[in-house]
Amino acid sequence: MSRSTRAAGRRSAPRGSRSRHKAHRTRTTSKAIGLTLISALIPGSGFVMGGRTKLGAFVMTLSVGLLALGAYIGLTKRDAVLELAVDPRQLLIATGAVVFLGLLWIWVVVQSHKLIRPVSMTAVGRLAGSAFVGLLCFGIAVPTTVAAQTVMAQRDLVGSVFASEGKSKSATRPKIEDKKSPWANTPRLNILLLGADDGAGREGTRTDTVMVASIDTKNGDTKLISLSRNWMRMPFPEDSPLHEFYPEGFWDPSLGNVEQPDYYLDAMYRNIPAAHPGVLGASDNEGADVLKVSVGAALGLDIDYYMQVNLKGFEQIVDALGGITVNINYKVPIGGDYRGPGSGDDVLPKDYLLPGANQKLNGHDALWFARGRYGLSDGSRQERQRCAIHAIVNSANPANLVTKYQQIAAASKKLLQTDIPQEILPAFIDLGLKVKSAKVSNVDLDKDKNFPSGKNPNYEAMRELVQKAIEPKAGTEPTTTTPSTTPTKKPTTGKTTTATPKPSPGGTEDLSDACAYHPANP
């Protein structure tokens, strides 16, 4: 064979190779755009259609494998998902994985289009193809970015609000040995819920809202117990250092049996740490630790953890959820300040929330629904606070959490304080899912008998009522109310009633009934 013949053979080989690849290309721009769309929906299919069969099979297998793995983990490995959701380090890795997969998906789409598109294209066709590919890449980049931002928002929330045991201090937090099953020997978990108000016109912080959520760790059944802000003589256990300072409870006997606002329950958070700093030990929130000890003694409960939210922050969280829906049974004041009997210095409310069923409230109005007090009793205010919490739980549905999670996380990060450690957050999330689907009810502490005024509440009697409500006798159900002859309207219906059932002292009342619409019973 001559040199010229061999040279001609070598030159002809590449042309044959290019011809084989050309055979896989589309003939029109519109068909190329359609196949590129398929390649975006089924990653790897574009490589197969473009002649890169092995690469396409690999990418398709990888895509199906990742989807199957995600479905398997989501359906069968809930504990692993919960652990990832509350572990800052794993969340950072997850963010990197989301970004990497998004970029890989964009690369697959671009390369698939290059293989499929015609060799010869007009300027218009080339522009149309490039524009469509750019649109597809944008459609991939946006959800990828949102997903990455959401994961980072969760990481920021966990790191900001829930410190690890080694990086936080608490004088009252229980020691947990088994982080995987922290409730194994805890039939009920008791959490102190504090609403703190450090707004304008106030010196320091007062806890205007003090509640205890007692949760059955097996089924999520929850009892809410409200304490009045003006209770005096709040007790301390005999083994507490604070009992030495206040053996007869938090009040000043030298002032006599009169109202002592500086010794109200809502003043303890501020006044006791100021008077006795460090008395309970090292703490990141001395006021909360003081209240955990004293509230536990008043109700006969061991308070495990606290959750504190600034009342202004409550407004932002409600807005982040898109509002809450409540029933308003009587006019609720917006603003106003009652200065006492016979005082001419009262500040009148700016406006009122008017009665109505299924009222959708924004953050501002929801805040005043929960805290409005002018001309109303503390009992009615406590009931509205419980109903507001109930409404928030109902509003926290998957659609809201997915679409508005970044707003919720940003609001929560700035406004929440707690001594719940990072290490047991998976167990808390699991318990929270049980609470959402379980019964939430109010425990009646019998105001008329046990605290007609706040000067000298009967804490011993209240302890008995609490125990009766949360620890029913074997084989019996907790004391409940008997419904009135006219059915009580649920919050999601349009019927009304002329009366609402009330629990007997120490009994419980389902919050769906307590928060129903019954305008004739204000």
Side-chain angles (χ1 to χ4, degrees), residues 311-321 363 407 410-411 414-415:
L311 291 181
K312 188 66 177 176
F314 174 86
E315 178 179 339
Q316 296 181 32
I317 291 174
V318 170
D319 280 334
L321 284 169
Q407 295 171 264
K414 297 177 182 178
L415 309 161

Side-chain angles (χ1 to χ4, degrees), residues 37-363:
L37 176 61
I38 294 174
S39 73
L41 298 176
I42 308 175
S45 61
F47 289 142
V48 174
M49 291 182 288
R52 304 291 298 275
T53 307
K54 291 183 178 180
L55 178 59
F58 172 76
V59 174
M60 292 177 70
T61 302
L62 179 63
S63 301
V64 173
L66 287 174
L67 288 174
L69 179 62
Y72 172 75
I73 293 175
L75 294 174
T76 65
K77 300 292 183 180
R78 188 175 68 169
D79 290 346
V81 175
L82 295 179
E83 288 181 8
L84 183 149
V86 293
D87 186 324
R89 180 174 172 274
Q90 292 190 51
L91 286 170
L92 185 61
I93 294 174
T95 302
V98 168
V99 173
F100 173 76
L101 290 175
L103 293 174
L104 182 61
W105 194 359
I106 289 173
W107 177 83
V108 168
V109 171
V110 173
Q111 295 303 316
S112 296
H113 181 71
K114 287 182 177 180
L115 284 173
I116 295 170
R117 69 186 180 185
V119 174
S120 299
M121 298 177 67
T122 64
V124 174
R126 190 178 299 276
L127 179 62
S130 299
F132 184 74
V133 170
L135 186 62
L136 282 180
C137 293
F138 180 75
I140 295 170
V142 169
T144 299
T145 302
V146 171
Q149 289 176 339
T150 300
V151 175
M152 287 303 292
Q154 170 68 7
R155 181 176 184 270
D156 199 19
L157 172 63
V158 171
S160 300
V161 177
F162 302 94
S164 64
E165 280 188 312
K167 296 182 179 179
S168 59
K169 299 175 183 178
S170 172
T172 58
R173 183 169 57 198
K175 299 293 183 182
I176 300 294
E177 299 297 333
D178 186 357
K179 303 297 191 297
K180 298 289 185 181
S181 302
W183 328 132
N185 299 313
T186 306
R188 296 199 75 89
L189 189 73
N190 300 309
I191 302 175
L192 182 66
L193 306 176
L194 301 176
D197 188 355
D198 55 357
R202 293 244 175 159
E203 295 181 5
T205 299
R206 284 180 177 264
T207 48
D208 280 356
T209 301
V210 180
M211 283 190 281
V212 173
S214 182
I215 306 170
D216 187 312
T217 56
K218 300 299 182 184
N219 58 28
D221 177 74
T222 301
K223 303 291 191 293
L224 289 180
I225 309 165
S226 296
L227 288 77
S228 292
R229 66 180 187 86
N230 67 334
W231 282 358
M232 290 167 44
R233 308 176 196 245
M234 283 289 292
F236 294 99
E238 292 185 2
D239 60 352
S240 170
L242 286 169
H243 188 270
E244 299 179 12
F245 297 102
Y246 307 104
E248 299 178 14
F250 185 59
W251 75 304
D252 186 350
S254 67
L255 299 178
N257 188 27
V258 297
E259 295 287 343
Q260 302 177 16
D262 283 340
Y263 290 87
Y264 282 171
L265 168 60
D266 69 356
M268 297 177 72
Y269 182 94
R270 175 191 64 185
N271 290 350
I272 291 182
H276 312 287
V279 64
L280 294 177
S283 173
D284 294 329
N285 191 338
E286 290 187 71
D289 278 332
V290 166
L291 285 171
K292 285 174 67 177
V293 171
S294 187
V295 169
L299 301 180
L301 300 172
D302 291 327
I303 306 296
D304 299 287
Y305 303 99
Y306 80 89
M307 287 287 294
Q308 178 178 327
V309 60
N310 180 282
L311 291 181
K312 188 66 177 176
F314 174 86
E315 178 179 339
Q316 296 181 32
I317 291 174
V318 170
D319 280 334
L321 284 169
I324 61 174
T325 301
V326 299
N327 294 302
I328 304 178
N329 294 308
Y330 47 84
K331 292 199 307 181
V332 178
I334 297 176
D337 187 9
Y338 178 65
R339 301 294 175 84
S343 173
D345 297 328
D346 287 3
V347 177
L348 297 178
K350 298 177 181 178
D351 201 352
Y352 286 89
L353 300 174
L354 299 179
N358 298 322
Q359 300 274 17
K360 186 67 175 288
L361 304 182
N362 59 23

Side-chain angles (χ1 to χ4, degrees), residues 376-491:
L376 301 174
S377 67
D378 275 346
S380 69
R381 184 170 180 255
Q382 291 166 6
E383 182 178 73
R384 283 180 276 115
Q385 289 171 351
R386 293 190 292 268
C387 291
I389 290 175
H390 191 53
I392 288 175
V393 171
N394 290 334
S395 297
N397 55 59
N400 273 341
L401 293 179
V402 170
T403 59
K404 301 176 181 178
Y405 187 76
Q406 291 185 46
Q407 295 171 264
I408 297 169
S412 301
K413 181 186 71 172
K414 297 177 182 178
L415 309 161
L416 286 176
Q417 284 182 272
T418 185
D419 58 353
I420 298 172
Q422 277 183 16
E423 289 82 356
I424 61 172
L425 281 181
F428 257 101
I429 295 176
D430 189 43
L431 184 60
L433 295 175
K434 293 180 182 178
V435 170
K436 183 165 178 61
S437 59
K439 179 180 178 181
V440 179
S441 53
N442 164 52
V443 177
D444 180 22
L445 296 180
D446 196 354
K447 174 179 174 60
D448 293 338
K449 181 178 179 181
N450 293 329
F451 50 101
S453 75
K455 290 189 294 185
N456 192 14
N458 189 343
Y459 295 113
E460 183 177 354
M462 284 190 274
R463 286 191 286 267
E464 293 178 2
L465 293 178
V466 169
Q467 291 304 312
K468 176 184 176 183
I470 68 173
E471 296 182 5
K473 295 180 181 179
T476 64
E477 295 295 328
T479 304
T480 57
T481 58
T482 301
S484 61
T485 55
T486 305
T488 302
K489 178 191 153 312
K490 302 296 183 184

